[in-house]
Amino acid sequence: MTDPADTAQREATAAPGTPAEVFGAFLKLGLSSFGGPVAHLGHFRLEFVDRRRWLDDRAYSDLVALCQFLPGPASSQVGMALGLGRAGWAGLLAAWAGFTLPSAIALILFAFGIAQYRDLAQSGWVHGLKVVAVAIVAQAVWGMARSLCPDRPRAALAILAALLAMLLPSAAGQVAAITVAGLLGWLGLKIAQPGGGQAHVYPVSRKLGIAALLSFAAPLAALPLWAAATGSSTIALLEGVYRSGALVFGGGHVVLPLLQAAVVPGGLVDNADFLAGYGAAQAVPGPLFTFAAYLGAVAGGPLHGWIGGLALLLTIFLPAFLILVGALPFWAELRHRAGIQTAMAGINAGVVGILASALYDPVWTSAIHGKADFGLALASFGLLTVGRAPPALVVLLAGVAGGIMAMGR
């Protein structure tokens, strides 16, 4: 007899969605997903694997593994792919807009009122939002470990990947951990991927993928030449921001030194304003790459204000979009080959290990500073796992609790 729950999951996974549905789902996350890229992946898993069942744990982990290998903001690329798989190209755009625009708009507004709100990132309610990220990532690690590390060999690979990620705390360390886990899985695991996983299909042809890869590379060569030939500070700014989005692995905080080099030495943005904006970026949900919108809004020169903010926002995300589209058709073919299946089992275990490592640093270390913080994180974890409370409600309650705790200090 067919399990009704399994049938419902297959139907939900197979049913196409609409751009409006995708935009609504990602807008909710764009307004509530605090805590950085790892926490975002936890939010995505709760929403799209557990709650909406757009795909299963294995397909989700495969996608996370791919985006960890690619340059750019991994969580945003995962979101783009989820939107593409759910509702086509309009769904991709809807997912990006819903997840990205709330923080981008907030940071542009902050650029207009920078003198009044420099201490926003240190407020109690923001600290509460960082604490709840601990619970969200912990739930994601626990759920993915149960699904993707069901035996001793894969659990051992997850532990090894976590140790490597902690020994090499950088984007390169994460890539190394995934590579080692995949290689050991390919060489040593005597299992195949278990049945029942949903193969997630993305509507990208090989020709389109090659065109996207060429489009990704062309500005890296053309923009520096254009800037040098014209001496235009605007073209130089666009080149620096595009290069920052194209050549950074790990996303998030890793992109900040490149952005600083692109805008501060030339005098487009004062270093004090750069640091104030970086602090504000910690206080908004969504991807940290939206910091580019703040820089565009506060910059001097022809690009500034709303136009400058939106221009740099599109510029920094464009390479992430192109490299994702370029990689998807080849990844979809490779992951179905017999040899790749066993390697993917190891890679999936490695992803769990990386998330476990990130649960400690930076998620735990940046949020848990005492017993009260631990208690709030534990209560949030209980609401999510035992109480089955909606994640958005738990995030809201944690923010309120953080504000109350700050007043009591």
Side-chain angles (χ1 to χ4, degrees):
M1 181 178 294
T2 303
D3 188 340
D6 290 342
T7 301
Q9 179 168 353
R10 285 195 297 272
E11 291 175 351
T13 305
T18 65
E21 174 202 21
V22 172
F23 179 78
F26 276 93
L27 179 63
K28 182 177 76 171
L29 293 170
L31 292 168
S32 62
S33 295
F34 292 84
V38 177
H40 299 162
L41 295 176
H43 282 283
F44 288 176
R45 184 185 175 278
L46 280 174
E47 186 69 19
F48 302 117
V49 178
D50 286 349
R51 184 170 176 269
R52 296 179 182 265
R53 296 183 176 180
W54 287 5
L55 71 175
D56 62 19
D57 247 333
R58 184 159 296 102
Y60 179 72
S61 184
D62 286 353
L63 182 58
V64 171
L66 169 63
C67 294
Q68 292 282 359
F69 275 114
L70 299 178
S75 60
S76 293
Q77 288 168 315
V78 169
M80 291 178 195
L82 289 172
L84 177 64
R86 183 65 178 176
W89 295 102
L92 182 151
L93 180 60
W96 176 82
F99 188 57
T100 306
L101 290 182
S103 59
I105 292 171
L107 288 173
I108 292 174
L109 291 174
F110 177 78
F112 288 111
I114 187 171
Q116 289 80 14
Y117 303 106
R118 289 181 184 268
D119 295 330
L120 181 63
Q122 283 72 47
S123 62
W125 67 270
V126 170
H127 182 69
L129 298 175
K130 292 180 180 179
V131 171
V132 76
V134 175
I136 290 169
V137 176
Q139 185 187 22
V141 171
W142 176 254
M144 293 178 73
R146 293 175 63 187
S147 173
L148 302 173
C149 304
D151 49 43
R152 289 184 180 181
R154 280 177 282 185
L157 288 178
I159 292 172
L160 176 61
L163 292 173
L164 286 174
M166 286 189 288
L167 288 172
L168 302 170
S170 65
Q174 293 182 357
V175 172
I178 291 178
T179 302
V180 169
L183 181 61
L184 291 178
W186 178 60
L187 293 175
L189 289 179
K190 303 301 182 184
I191 59 170
Q193 291 277 54
Q198 295 289 338
H200 215 59
V201 178
Y202 302 96
V204 186
S205 67
R206 290 172 61 92
K207 289 183 179 180
L208 182 58
I210 293 172
L213 292 175
L214 292 175
S215 299
F216 167 82
L220 291 174
L223 284 176
L225 297 176
W226 188 7
T230 62
S232 169
S233 61
T234 300
I235 301 302
L237 175 62
L238 293 174
E239 186 276 327
V241 173
Y242 185 89
R243 175 167 34 86
S244 298
L247 301 181
V248 168
F249 288 85
H253 301 274
V254 184
V255 79
L256 294 173
L258 289 180
L259 286 176
Q260 188 173 35
V263 300
V264 173
L268 292 171
V269 176
D270 180 76
N271 193 56
D273 288 344
F274 182 94
L275 295 176
Y278 172 55
Q282 312 304 306
V284 296
L288 191 59
F289 266 46
T290 55
F291 182 45
Y294 164 85
L295 295 176
V298 80
L303 281 181
H304 63 276
W306 284 100
I307 294 176
L310 294 176
L312 292 198
L313 180 71
L314 294 173
T315 300
I316 199 169
F317 277 100
L318 178 60
F321 161 75
L322 292 172
I323 195 70
L324 173 69
V325 172
L328 278 175
F330 303 100
W331 180 255
E333 291 183 12
L334 287 174
R335 68 181 294 275
H336 294 299
R337 295 184 180 180
I340 299 297
Q341 290 290 322
T342 304
M344 282 305 306
I347 289 174
N348 289 339
V351 169
V352 174
I354 288 174
L355 290 177
S357 172
L359 173 60
Y360 172 70
D361 184 14
V363 178
W364 180 284
T365 56
S366 65
I368 306 301
H369 303 310
K371 291 182 179 179
D373 293 337
F374 176 73
L376 178 57
L378 186 61
S380 300
F381 183 78
L383 286 173
L384 288 169
T385 57
V386 180
R388 306 277 185 181
L393 175 61
V394 178
V395 169
L396 176 63
L397 292 175
V400 172
I404 295 173
M405 288 162 56
M407 289 189 294
R409 293 192 182 106

